[in-house]
Amino acid sequence: MDIVITIQHAANVHFFKHVVGELESAGHDVFVFAREKGVVGELLDAYEIDHELLCGEPRGWLGLGLTQLCYEARLLRRTRAIDPDYILTSHGIAATHVGTLVGAESHVYIDTETAINGGNRLTIPFTDVLYTPDSFRETYDAEHVRYPGYHELAYLHPDRFDPDPDRLRAHGVDPDERYAVLRLGAWNGNHDIGKQGISAAGRHEIVDELATDGRVFVADEGDGPLPTGAEPLPVPPADFHHLLAFADLVVGEVATTTLEAGLLGTPTVRISPFAGSSEMGKFRELAEYGLVRSFHTDHETTAIRELTRLYRDPSAASNWADRREALLATKIDVTQYILSQILADVPEPTPEDRDSGPTLAASGSGPDSGTDAGSVSAHHPGSHPGKDAPPRPDRPSVNRR
C-alpha cells in the first residue's frame, strides 16, 4: 500500500514515528510530508524518517494563514502524484482536504475538542474516519471512533518507551539528583489567539522556588530570556522524554508536555488559560487519576504555592508511580491501534495486552525505534517480534474512489 502521513507539529513526529517504522518494515510505502514548526525537522532527522518539508515556519498570524495555503497546495501536488490508499494525520487540516480531492481514505486522530481548537471545524467535515480518545468530550457522526488511550501513548506506552538514564548522563545530567523542568509555550498556534501563559513574574518566582532544591531546566518555545537561576534544556529534542521521566517535578503551560509527564509518572503541575470549566476531556481524566494538577492562569499564585509544596513532598514520586499504573491498566498501545485500523492481521489492542509487544516488526527508523534502551523498575518494555502484514482488505471502506 501507499500511505501518506502529514506532520504539522513536533508531537505529530512522536505520534507517528513507530507507525512509520512498522509500516515500512511490513513492506508498505510511506510518504511523510511536514510543515516546519519548532523542532519538527530536527526530530524527523533524529529518528531517520524519510520526509519532505513542504513549508517553513510561519511568522505572525498572517503568515500562519499564508503558510497553510502553501502547505495545502504543495501537499495536493505531491499526493496526487502518489495516489495513496490512505492519508493519516493528527489534527491535520490539509490532509483531509487533500484526501477528499485525491480519493484517499483519511484517518484523522484528534484529541483536542473544537471548543478549544477551532481548526477542527476545517478538518472534521472532510474526514473519512475520526479517531479520538474515549475521554473526548464531543460527539460526531457514525465515523467517529473512540479508543481507550491518548495520543502520547503511541510513543510513551510502556511497550514503546523505557526511560534511559544514560541518555541524561551523556549530557551532564545526573538522573539521581533533584531537578525540575519548566515548559513554556510560544502561543502562536491557531487556537492560541488571545491567550497567554504564565506571567513573566510568575516564571521568575517558579524558578526561584525550585532552584533552592535542585537544578531547573527551562524549555521555551517562544525563545524568551531564561529566568535567573534557570538552565536551558541539556538534552536534544529526541531525548526530551527521558528528561521528563527522571524529573522530580514538571511545570508547564504546554498541554502535550504536561500530559506526557503525567503519563510517565512524574509529578506535574499545569498552568494554562485552557484549564477550568471548558477543560479538555483528557485533562479531566488525568485529574481524576491525580496525575496532572491543572490551574487556570488566573490562579497562578495558587498554582505556584501548590507546585512548591509538591516539589518538597517526599511521597510525591511514589504516589505518582502508583497512579500511573492504575491509569495504564485501562489504556492501550495506541501505535498498535493505528496499525490495526489499516492492516488486516494487526489485532486491535486491549488494556490486557500490555507487555505483549507490538504485532509488526520493530526495526523501525532511527535511534529511537522500538523500545528505548535502559531500564527503570516502574516501566515494562515489551518484545517486538517481526511479522509481515498485508493490506487490510476486510476493513469496511469509506474510500471515495
Side-chain angles (χ1 to χ4, degrees), residues 306-380:
E306 173 61 13
L307 69 88
T308 302
R309 185 200 67 78
L310 190 60
Y311 193 48
R312 292 169 182 153
D313 180 357
S315 65
S318 61
N319 289 340
W320 251 257
D322 291 342
R323 295 166 187 171
R324 172 180 183 266
E325 291 302 313
L327 174 70
L328 290 177
T330 70
K331 302 301 177 184
I332 61 171
D333 174 353
V334 175
T335 285
Q336 186 175 343
Y337 181 80
I338 296 169
L339 295 168
S340 76
Q341 300 306 293
I342 59 175
L343 299 180
D345 58 354
V346 178
E348 287 192 13
T350 67
E352 292 72 28
D353 293 334
R354 183 170 165 186
D355 287 331
S356 63
T359 301
L360 297 181
S363 56
S365 302
D368 210 25
S369 301
T371 300
D372 287 291
S375 63
V376 172
S377 59
H379 299 270
H380 307 279

Side-chain angles (χ1 to χ4, degrees), residues 29-366:
D29 292 322
V30 182
F31 303 86
V32 177
F33 296 108
R35 194 186 84 183
E36 185 64 281
K37 178 177 173 59
V39 296
V40 163
E42 185 176 348
L43 282 172
L44 288 166
D45 289 339
Y47 298 135
E48 298 179 5
I49 296 175
D50 288 337
H51 65 279
E52 182 177 354
L53 284 174
L54 298 182
C55 289
E57 190 157 7
R59 295 184 179 181
W61 298 113
L62 176 61
L64 182 64
L66 294 175
T67 297
Q68 180 66 28
L69 292 174
C70 173
Y71 180 52
E72 295 212 14
R74 292 177 180 177
L75 181 63
L76 175 60
R77 185 165 63 249
R78 303 296 197 279
T79 303
R80 182 170 282 155
I82 295 166
D83 190 25
D85 300 279
Y86 293 98
I87 184 164
L88 309 182
T89 190
S90 170
H91 286 281
I93 296 172
T96 59
H97 299 170
V98 169
T100 300
L101 293 172
V102 304
E105 186 172 309
S106 58
H107 286 213
V108 180
Y109 289 81
I110 284 176
D111 66 347
T112 302
E113 287 82 355
T114 304
I116 292 176
N117 184 3
N120 290 351
R121 297 187 181 93
L122 301 176
T123 304
I124 294 172
F126 303 94
T127 299
D128 287 315
V129 189
L130 172 68
Y131 298 93
T132 69
D134 54 9
S135 59
F136 197 77
R137 296 178 58 200
E138 298 168 353
T139 300
Y140 292 93
D141 60 22
E143 295 300 335
H144 177 189
V145 182
R146 299 175 184 272
Y147 63 90
Y150 306 105
H151 282 197
E152 292 74 12
L153 288 179
Y155 52 96
L156 294 181
H157 189 276
D159 291 344
R160 297 283 171 184
F161 178 78
D162 197 16
D164 182 359
D166 289 335
R167 296 279 190 102
L168 302 186
R169 294 188 183 105
H171 297 284
V173 178
D174 184 346
D176 296 321
E177 291 185 355
R178 287 177 61 76
Y179 68 86
V181 177
L182 173 60
R183 183 75 163 91
L184 305 172
W187 301 100
N188 60 2
N190 63 66
H191 54 284
D192 294 329
I193 297 174
K195 304 291 185 182
Q196 61 182 5
I198 303 169
S199 69
R203 297 179 181 193
H204 286 282
E205 185 177 354
I206 291 169
V207 172
D208 286 344
E209 291 288 349
L210 300 181
T212 60
D213 287 338
R215 301 172 74 178
V216 181
F217 302 114
V218 175
D220 186 355
E221 285 182 347
D223 295 324
L226 289 178
T228 302
E231 304 176 49
L233 282 187
V235 299
D239 289 340
F240 184 57
H241 298 124
H242 300 275
L243 187 73
L244 295 181
F246 288 100
D248 294 278
L249 181 73
V250 171
V251 180
E253 305 169 331
V254 179
T256 299
T257 298
T258 49
L259 201 149
E260 289 170 339
L263 290 178
L264 289 168
T266 302
T268 303
V269 173
R270 168 173 162 260
I271 307 173
S272 169
F274 296 111
S277 59
S278 61
E279 183 66 281
M280 290 174 272
K282 56 190 178 183
F283 280 108
R284 288 191 174 190
E285 188 169 77
L286 287 169
E288 290 173 0
Y289 279 90
L291 286 169
V292 176
R293 298 190 176 172
S294 293
F295 297 84
H296 193 278
T297 45
D298 289 344
H299 303 288
E300 182 179 286
T301 300
T302 303
I304 294 174
R305 187 162 54 244
E306 173 61 13
L307 69 88
T308 302
R309 185 200 67 78
L310 190 60
Y311 193 48
R312 292 169 182 153
D313 180 357
S315 65
S318 61
N319 289 340
W320 251 257
D322 291 342
R323 295 166 187 171
R324 172 180 183 266
E325 291 302 313
L327 174 70
L328 290 177
T330 70
K331 302 301 177 184
I332 61 171
D333 174 353
V334 175
T335 285
Q336 186 175 343
Y337 181 80
I338 296 169
L339 295 168
S340 76
Q341 300 306 293
I342 59 175
L343 299 180
D345 58 354
V346 178
E348 287 192 13
T350 67
E352 292 72 28
D353 293 334
R354 183 170 165 186
D355 287 331
S356 63
T359 301
L360 297 181
S363 56
S365 302

